[in-house]
Amino acid sequence: RIGLGDDFALCLEAALNIIAQRPHSFPKVRRKTRRILIERFPYLILFLDRADVILIIGVFHTARNPKSIRHRAR
């Protein structure tokens, strides 16, 4: 659909802003790795909340094999 990529970029940016505002409000999926679901799209963001920086591990489709995502969270 025309404009869908722009919609995805806006939703991704909104999720990143939420992470920056309140990173501890998202569930841990492994040790210190947390995730947020991207609104309207079947994607998630894995991130680490470190003392001085938030580290984005990746953006993944939710249908992806969880094992392939898990190795990135180590």
Side-chain angles (χ1 to χ4, degrees):
R1 183 178 111 213
I2 295 174
L4 191 60
D6 293 332
D7 290 348
F8 179 75
L10 289 172
C11 290
L12 178 62
E13 184 178 351
L16 293 172
N17 287 332
I18 294 168
I19 291 170
Q21 293 171 9
R22 48 189 173 90
H24 293 284
S25 64
F26 299 99
K28 289 182 180 178
V29 292
R30 184 178 178 100
R31 296 183 187 141
K32 296 181 180 184
T33 304
R34 296 180 183 271
R35 72 160 168 82
I36 180 175
L37 297 172
I38 298 176
E39 198 170 312
R40 289 189 52 224
F41 292 91
Y43 286 84
L44 61 86
I45 301 171
L46 289 182
F47 66 96
L48 291 169
D49 180 26
R50 302 246 170 111
D52 57 341
V53 69
I54 294 171
L55 176 65
I56 303 297
I57 296 171
V59 178
F60 301 95
H61 194 280
T62 55
R64 210 165 153 185
N65 183 345
K67 288 182 181 179
S68 67
I69 295 171
R70 226 179 284 137
H71 91 281
R72 295 282 294 276
R74 291 183 193 175

